[in-house]
Amino acid sequence: MNRFEIIAALFGVVSVFLSVRQNIWSWPTAIVNVAMYIVVFYRSRLYSDTGLQVVYVVLNFYGWYQWLYGGKNRTELPVTRTNPRLAVILVAIGAVSTAVLGTFVSHNTNAALPYMDALTTSTSLVAQWMMTRKLIENWIIWVAVDVVYIGMYVYKDLYVTSLLYAVFLILSVMGYREWKRSLVTREAVPVPA
């Protein structure tokens, strides 16, 4: 356990807590968090997770913009549900990218857990993209992937990061409940004719 990992973890907690609250400051704090985790994961030879953090930097800038201007007429983006067609596409993207990334990493690096790392990476990318679009089901995916991450990080002796993902697990449950409340409130408001 080192101070750098602790600071990175703290930025992660703040970021996810702010996401639960639909606070726009979740995005800049997330950028700091993932930039620091590029270093943490690289040092631990979790190369898929290292690459994931790089992509997260880009997705966090995208999410920041979407939350501010991604709604109707460039307004704030509301919480919505994932339609079934999009859900099938996202599952397919996750499965294919897991297979491709896992195979590539297992054959070309000394990765510690190539397929598990690829699965969590691919699933996290899908969930993160869903969060940028404020699709409520992103929280369900985060709950599932956080459970896997906790075990993987304990196995790699990243105890602070494992604890971080336990906190993320709790925050994901809270996020789902909070966003559900927001969605139900929005759906209850009649649309002007």
Side-chain angles (χ1 to χ4, degrees), residues 101-166:
L101 183 59
T103 301
F104 176 81
V105 171
S106 72
H107 289 100
N108 296 294
T109 72
N110 64 342
L113 302 165
Y115 287 97
M116 185 64 66
D117 197 17
L119 172 67
T120 55
T121 297
S122 299
T123 305
S124 294
L125 282 172
V126 168
Q128 185 67 23
W129 181 84
M130 292 173 73
M131 182 178 282
T132 69
R133 301 300 305 151
K134 278 196 176 175
L135 299 172
I136 191 170
E137 295 82 4
N138 85 84
W139 294 111
I140 296 167
I141 295 170
W142 282 123
V143 165
V145 79
D146 288 344
V147 169
V148 177
Y149 270 130
I150 291 166
M152 185 171 77
Y153 294 144
V154 166
Y155 177 77
K156 288 301 296 174
D157 298 324
L158 294 171
Y159 300 112
V160 171
T161 303
S162 182
L163 179 61
L164 170 65
Y165 276 78

Side-chain angles (χ1 to χ4, degrees), residues 81-88 135 137:
R81 297 178 195 280
T82 306
N83 70 54
R85 181 177 176 272
L86 179 58
V88 168
L135 299 172
E137 295 82 4

Side-chain angles (χ1 to χ4, degrees), residues 19-20 22 138-139 175-183:
S19 293
V20 167
Q22 296 182 59
N138 85 84
W139 294 111
Y176 181 79
R177 288 195 339 228
E178 196 65 32
W179 284 30
K180 177 86 171 184
R181 198 173 2 255
S182 175
L183 181 64

Side-chain angles (χ1 to χ4, degrees), residues 166-186:
V167 173
F168 284 170
L169 177 62
I170 294 164
L171 288 171
S172 294
V173 171
M174 291 171 55
Y176 181 79
R177 288 195 339 228
E178 196 65 32
W179 284 30
K180 177 86 171 184
R181 198 173 2 255
S182 175
L183 181 64
V184 168
T185 300
R186 192 176 72 77

Side-chain angles (χ1 to χ4, degrees), residues 58-83:
V58 174
L59 280 174
N60 283 314
F61 278 108
Y62 173 75
W64 197 351
Y65 178 84
Q66 285 300 313
W67 278 28
L68 286 172
Y69 307 111
K72 194 172 189 173
N73 299 320
R74 294 183 40 86
T75 59
E76 185 178 329
L77 189 66
V79 174
T80 57
R81 297 178 195 280
T82 306
N83 70 54

